[in-house]
Amino acid sequence: MPKTADITSADQRHRIVDLPAAAGADLERLPHILRIMLENVLRNAGEDAPRAKAAILNWLATGRSEEEIPFLPGRVLMHDTTCGPALVDIAGMRASLAEAGHDPSWLNPVLPVDVSTDHSLGVDVFGSRDALQRNMEREYGRNAERYRFMKWATRALTGFRVHPPGTGIMHTLNLERLASVVTTMERDGVSWAMPDTLIGTDSHTPMINGIGVLGWGVGGLEAESVFFGMPVMIRVPDIVGVRLTGRLRQGVLATDLALTVTERLRQIDLADRFVEFFGEGVSTLSAGDRAVVANMTPEFGANSGFFPIDDQTLHYLRETGRSEDHVRLVEEYARRQGLWFDPEASPRFTDTIEIDLGAVEVSVAGPRRPQDRIPASQTVEAMAPLLAARPAPASAEQPGNGSVAIAAITSCTNTSDPRLLVAAGLVARKARAFGLTPPAWVKTSLAPGSPTAERYLRRAGLLEDLEAVGFGIVGYGCTTCIGNSGPLPAVIDQAMTERGIVPVAVLSGNRNFPGRVHPQLEAGFLASPPLVVAFALAGDVNRNILADPISRLASGEDIRLADLWPTGDEIDAALANAIDAGDYDTSYDEAEASDTWRVLDAPGTPLFPWNENSTYIRRPPFAGFGKGTLLGTYTAHPLLVLGDDITTDHISPAGAVPPRSEAAEYLVARGENPRDLNVFASRRGNWEAMVRGLFTNKSVRNLLDPQIAPGFTIHAGSGEHLPLFEAAERYANEGVSVVVVAGERYGMGSSRDWAAKGVALLGARAVLASSFERIHRSNLIGMGILPLRLPADRHPNELHLLPGDQIVIDADPATIAPRCAVPVTIRRASGASETFMATAAIETGLEVEILRGGGIIPLILRRVVNAEATSRETPASEITGDGETLRREDSPSIRR
């Protein structure tokens, strides 16, 4: 048992793990991330705590470690389109338990799970005062079946809470309402205080790092394991320290800093590494600024973007309506435990880099990747390669190349910080005063992360100004950022069809991969909310937005950005009028009380009643005890050979189901309206629809043959071009294994586990890639698929794989281990062969166990059955399964 102590705050006594006593003088040398991890293992790891403590403290010698530690987060955060597949898995697992003669109610979360409903809202209506209402009506009309399924889960599962449509984006909800920074839990009649920690099934979960809460994104499969008591097993991580110096200049905003950090950090390898910000510059940033930077963690490739607790954290908690007693507890606990930020301190880090805040400039990123930051003045140069030999200039009358088709203030990234929305409102106010409006071809929208935004924008008098220039509120959800941007304006669609123009999106989101924002748009720029308004008014990106005229008045006067851009004092004054701490609880309470949600009927049975005619919810074939490991020595055909930067959007799209696609044909054949097939993100509970959308992004190229259409491959035996799912089915019937080969950063982007589930349904036993993004790598392992890292000289472009070539993989289950060498032989159809050593992209012993067991779902089921068998002989608090403690105590309460 670790050394404990008591603290008293607001006349209440709490037990704590005594971190200063446990770590001694080493505590100040540890990064704050490892201090929180140390507290976690001391409190939760039981007999393994001394070893885990030693592993963390020994890390100080070199800043690196190969030792594994168990991390048990206090809660889980999901959204509707990741919780949907997870719930389908859980419903399938419960059915499998029942069919095996067990009680399905054994399968229950052992810690709190919060689910937002934010990822399927589309921008069908914009530019009108009733856009919010009409979009919400469409939202419920399309997704009622999914929502009933989610309501079933709230009745069938313990500790499972759904926040209905209209309550905002999960990360904003987490910042403003759910996160406590320091939380309390009753255990054996004693109140314990501890850091608030979580994992989330969205890659942008680290946004909460901005207020000192340690959390990171995982795949839905890993989250399922945590639901049911398994720890997150990680190596004691590398921690990269980012020293911030100076302060941001006048006119430079948090978005500009976030894009600069993303650009800098993408230049180093941050796979499976954590980032912590330190230095005097940190203290100059508000909690809102920090959250914007932390949100971009997956874009710069790390697990976290952590800012420790300080006065800015306390100010944010007060500003968002947390009680004074709770704010006092946060401060007293953080100071007592060595978790309070010292701007003069320089903890030990694995590596450090430095960023001068004073050197950050007004920026955008694009036109294809979020790490491609450029000065906001250089959009013309950035677009030039895409517009070569495309003579279709824009004019005042019609759109052309570089015209802005979509201008969206969207995403938790930049709408969770009131300062950025207020700045956008001030630009709109000045534009309105000049009589400026966007050209007719620009689709404008404002989708804040929180219903609170409506209150503070209205109080500041800015909502009408935004509406006047087209940026009325269309909903509280991810919308355009996740690809639910709705149809393009007809004039843009026509110009693309008739004249082949290349329009762009400008959004305040976090990703701009080709086809993500809208399947017809290959170019997009990420920008701050006020810059989004400016580009909308300009109507195109064919200018230096910082210096060239944006518009010309009837009087002949040119209007430039300098005429519209607010000063810091103007933003501060508007914020002072806008913010009221009482808005937060009131706004969320009203949204949670939705009558539309309340009257939705849902089953109340432990087992979900499957409907074979459903096109949304189908029992998945992989949600059972499994057929054993996919490891072994085997010969496989390459189903797909891909290049660099294949994102999870490329693998499994989230946006609208195209009307002329294999998925559409499947849905229409089952009675769906061909004019409104909803989005793939809403279909993730139906594996048959999802498997037909895999790799159909028009920018996907199968290097087996340049003539292969996206979503197709060549069947080696017959030479036929077949949809992937048909080719996979044919290979399976022939008893032939398949693999996928890819280049650098395979699986970057969203955390969606369907990108791995889909590849599993195609029969892939391994994915060989030059490098993997962390969450997708974990999801592949969760499906039992072996991720193999190719040597540097074996990039897919150099392998020159052709139809008929075969790949022999020697992955003996008995010898597979973290980062072990795995022999790979390529047998050419010509008769030649070559052998090289790949590296197993496995990080922990638990991942080895998952692969040997055939995936995370069979492992969960076996552990649940073993635990329940053991519980008949052992007190509930001591239940174990396969050597791991399986917590069965009451779920901790989260005190706000």
Side-chain angles (χ1 to χ4, degrees):
M1 183 69 181
K3 183 175 177 56
T4 62
D6 288 346
I7 63 170
T8 300
S9 180
D11 298 324
Q12 184 166 356
R13 178 174 293 181
H14 306 284
R15 186 76 43 83
I16 63 172
V17 169
D18 194 338
L19 267 183
D26 286 338
L27 188 63
E28 291 186 1
R29 298 176 59 217
L30 284 173
H32 285 251
I33 289 170
L34 289 185
R35 299 179 201 187
I36 294 172
M37 289 185 173
L38 176 60
E39 189 279 342
N40 192 276
V41 298
L42 290 174
R43 180 166 41 85
N44 291 312
E47 294 181 357
D48 195 35
R51 183 205 60 80
K53 171 188 170 181
I56 291 173
L57 296 182
N58 290 342
W59 176 95
L60 285 167
T62 62
R64 290 181 171 83
S65 176
E66 297 299 319
E67 292 290 320
E68 298 175 22
I69 58 171
F71 182 80
L72 286 166
R75 55 192 177 95
V76 174
L77 182 63
M78 311 186 80
H79 59 72
D80 54 314
T81 60
T82 51
C83 103
L87 290 179
V88 168
D89 292 349
I90 291 169
M93 286 190 277
R94 281 193 160 202
S96 294
L97 282 171
E99 290 164 357
H102 304 300
D103 182 352
S105 64
W106 287 353
L107 196 71
N108 246 317
V110 299
L111 74 172
V113 180
D114 280 281
V115 179
S116 66
T117 312
D118 57 12
H119 266 57
S120 57
L121 178 68
V123 187
D124 296 294
V125 182
F126 70 100
S128 65
R129 289 184 178 273
D130 63 349
L132 171 61
Q133 176 186 344
R134 291 168 64 187
N135 287 327
M136 286 293 290
E137 289 171 354
R138 297 292 296 275
E139 166 86 336
Y140 272 101
R142 289 174 175 143
N143 296 297
E145 183 180 352
R146 280 199 311 124
Y147 295 161
R148 290 188 183 99
F149 181 52
M150 291 163 65
K151 285 194 76 171
W152 165 79
T154 66
R155 297 174 179 178
L157 305 176
T158 57
F160 191 92
R161 177 170 58 173
V162 174
H163 303 268
T167 48
I169 302 174
M170 62 186 295
H171 309 302
T172 313
L173 171 70
N174 197 19
L175 278 165
E176 295 180 352
R177 189 164 174 86
L178 301 180
S180 56
V181 185
V182 172
T183 190
T184 60
M185 181 178 70
E186 297 292 325
R187 180 180 292 175
D188 298 326
V190 176
S191 175
W192 285 75
M194 63 203 69
D196 179 14
T197 57
L198 75 148
I199 59 164
T201 58
D202 186 276
S203 57
H204 295 100
T205 299
M207 188 171 200
I208 203 64
N209 295 172
I211 62 170
V213 175
L214 183 58
W216 63 89
V218 300
L221 292 161
E222 188 171 0
E224 289 174 35
S225 70
V226 176
F227 280 10
F228 306 119
M230 293 167 61
V232 178
M233 294 299 299
I234 59 173
R235 283 190 303 118
V236 180
D238 291 4
I239 313 286
V240 175
V242 179
R243 183 192 297 275
L244 301 181
T245 62
R247 66 172 56 240
L248 297 176
R249 292 175 291 152
Q250 182 78 221
V252 176
L253 299 172
T255 310
D256 306 311
L257 173 59
L259 297 179
T260 301
V261 169
T262 301
E263 177 193 30
R264 285 287 304 279
L265 293 187
R266 259 298 172 187
Q267 296 170 10
I268 60 177
D269 181 10
L270 288 174
D272 289 299
R273 303 172 98 186
F274 286 68
V275 165
E276 180 170 312
F277 295 91
F278 73 110
E280 61 190 28
V282 169
S283 298
T284 71
L285 301 175
S286 70
D289 295 334
R290 299 172 189 184
V292 173
V293 174
N295 183 279
M296 295 293 284
T297 293
E299 280 65 53
F300 55 72
N303 290 34
S304 75
F306 190 80
F307 290 85
I309 302 165
D310 67 359
D311 285 324
Q312 295 284 6
T313 309
L314 305 184
H315 177 72
Y316 182 81
L317 293 176
R318 291 189 177 99
E319 193 175 61
T320 51
R322 271 68 164 202
S323 73
E324 193 58 39
D325 284 350
H326 184 75
V327 175
R328 188 178 305 120
L329 172 63
V330 170
E331 180 174 6
E332 291 171 352
Y333 180 87
R335 289 186 183 277
R336 168 64 176 78
Q337 293 285 72
L339 298 177
W340 189 262
F341 177 65
D342 177 1
E344 302 298 324
S346 295
R348 172 74 155 99
F349 291 108
T350 308
D351 295 299
T352 60
I353 68 168
E354 185 169 311
I355 294 177
D356 177 6
L357 298 180
V360 177
E361 60 187 329
V362 179
S363 302
V364 297
R368 288 176 172 267
R369 300 188 307 178
Q371 63 263 44
D372 295 334
R373 187 207 66 83
I374 56 174
S377 58
Q378 293 183 9
T379 52
V380 174
E381 294 85 345
M383 285 293 294
L386 297 181
L387 303 183
R390 303 290 286 269
S395 70
E397 292 75 34
Q398 65 177 358
N401 288 333
S403 288
V404 176
I406 290 174
I409 301 175
T410 179
S411 163
C412 53
T413 308
N414 291 293
T415 71
S416 296
D417 183 2
R419 187 175 186 82
L420 293 175
L421 287 188
V422 164
L426 290 171
V427 170
R429 172 173 290 175
K430 296 183 180 187
R432 182 186 185 190
F434 284 119
L436 305 183
T437 56
W441 60 74
V442 183
K443 182 172 187 175
T444 53
S445 61
L446 166 59
S450 158
T452 309
E454 189 273 342
R455 289 176 179 265
Y456 65 70
L457 287 172
R458 190 176 297 282
R459 183 178 293 108
L462 295 172
L463 188 58
E464 286 189 4
D465 296 316
L466 285 160
E467 290 171 342
V469 295
F471 287 91
I473 294 176
V474 298
Y476 303 109
C478 303
T479 60
T480 300
C481 185
I482 194 64
N484 296 338
S485 50
L488 295 176
V491 64
I492 284 282
D493 199 27
Q494 182 178 0
M496 294 178 72
T497 302
E498 295 178 358
R499 295 189 287 120
I501 72 165
V502 180
V504 304
V506 181
L507 67 155
S508 65
N510 43 51
R511 292 183 179 139
N512 53 346
F513 305 131
R516 176 183 171 91
V517 174
H518 190 284
Q520 291 175 261
L521 298 182
E522 296 189 40
F525 290 97
L526 306 181
S528 66
L531 264 187
V532 171
V533 177
F535 276 112
L537 294 168
D540 60 57
V541 298
N542 304 327
R543 67 191 72 212
N544 175 349
I545 195 71
L546 300 184
D548 294 343
I550 287 176
S551 187
R552 175 168 292 177
L553 303 182
S555 63
E557 178 186 358
D558 285 336
I559 302 299
R560 291 176 165 80
L561 189 64
D563 300 313
L564 306 177
W565 203 255
T567 66
D569 288 343
E570 288 175 315
I571 297 173
D572 290 340
L575 273 173
N577 292 328
I579 299 299
D580 183 331
D583 283 347
Y584 290 85
D585 278 347
T586 302
S587 297
Y588 282 111
D589 287 345
E590 289 179 359
E592 297 276 1
S594 163
D595 285 337
T596 311
W597 178 264
R598 180 179 54 81
V599 299
L600 276 178
D601 61 315
T605 54
L607 289 174
F608 180 74
W610 304 100
N611 177 2
E612 288 302 313
N613 296 319
S614 173
T615 59
Y616 281 95
I617 310 296
R618 301 294 302 277
R619 184 175 176 180
F622 46 74
F625 285 89
K627 299 179 181 178
T629 185
L630 297 177
L631 298 173
T633 299
Y634 53 88
T635 301
H637 283 288
L639 188 68
L640 285 153
V641 181
L642 307 161
D644 295 340
D645 295 319
I646 295 296
T647 73
T648 52
D649 282 282
H650 291 111
I651 303 168
S652 182
V657 177
R660 292 178 293 278
S661 65
E662 300 291 333
E665 183 178 328
Y666 163 83
L667 292 169
V668 170
R670 283 150 185 80
E672 290 287 358
N673 180 354
R675 292 180 297 278
D676 191 359
L677 296 173
N678 212 333
V679 294
F680 277 110
S682 293
R683 299 284 182 185
R684 289 178 185 162
N686 181 350
W687 64 274
E688 292 188 90
M690 295 300 296
V691 77
R692 287 165 167 79
L694 296 170
F695 295 98
T696 53
N697 185 295
K698 65 180 181 180
S699 63
V700 171
R701 298 287 179 268
N702 190 341
L703 301 181
L704 283 172
D705 187 323
Q707 303 304 313
I708 300 175
F712 280 66
T713 192
I714 294 179
H715 176 254
S718 65
E720 293 179 70
H721 286 224
L722 297 174
L724 285 167
F725 68 95
E726 289 187 13
E729 185 175 20
R730 187 175 296 186
Y731 279 129
N733 290 337
E734 294 167 352
V736 174
S737 297
V738 297
V739 296
V740 172
V741 182
E744 297 284 358
R745 295 170 294 278
Y746 179 74
M748 65 188 295
S750 297
S751 66
R752 62 194 67 162
D753 56 5
W754 243 101
K757 289 177 175 176
V759 171
L761 286 173
L762 293 178
R765 297 179 69 171
V767 174
L768 300 88
S770 299
S771 65
F772 294 88
E773 289 291 283
R774 174 184 60 87
I775 296 177
H776 185 63
R777 180 196 66 80
S778 172
N779 278 332
L780 289 172
I781 291 171
M783 290 304 297
I785 299 169
L786 176 64
L788 290 173
R789 192 171 291 114
L790 293 167
D793 62 347
R794 305 288 176 161
H795 188 279
N797 290 336
E798 279 72 56
L799 289 176
H800 302 296
L801 291 165
L802 298 172
D805 290 347
Q806 295 179 309
I807 299 175
V808 182
I809 295 176
D810 184 7
D812 184 349
T815 59
I816 207 76
R819 299 171 296 283
C820 70
V822 175
V824 174
T825 299
I826 297 178
R827 292 178 181 168
R828 306 286 181 179
S830 64
S833 69
E834 57 193 90
T835 298
F836 57 86
M837 304 302 288
T839 302
I842 304 170
E843 290 297 317
T844 69
L846 179 58
E847 290 182 343
V848 172
E849 183 183 357
I850 291 168
L851 286 167
R852 288 174 178 166
I856 195 68
I857 290 175
L859 181 60
I860 290 171
L861 287 172
R862 289 195 298 272
R863 289 194 174 199
V864 167
V865 171
N866 290 342
E868 291 300 330
T870 306
S871 70
R872 289 190 282 270
E873 304 172 3
T874 309
S877 62
E878 300 177 12
I879 293 174
T880 61
D882 290 352
E884 298 285 357
T885 298
L886 186 65
R887 295 179 297 161
R888 311 295 289 185
E889 67 267 14
D890 292 338
S891 297
S893 62
I894 297 175
R895 180 172 299 174
R896 302 192 184 96

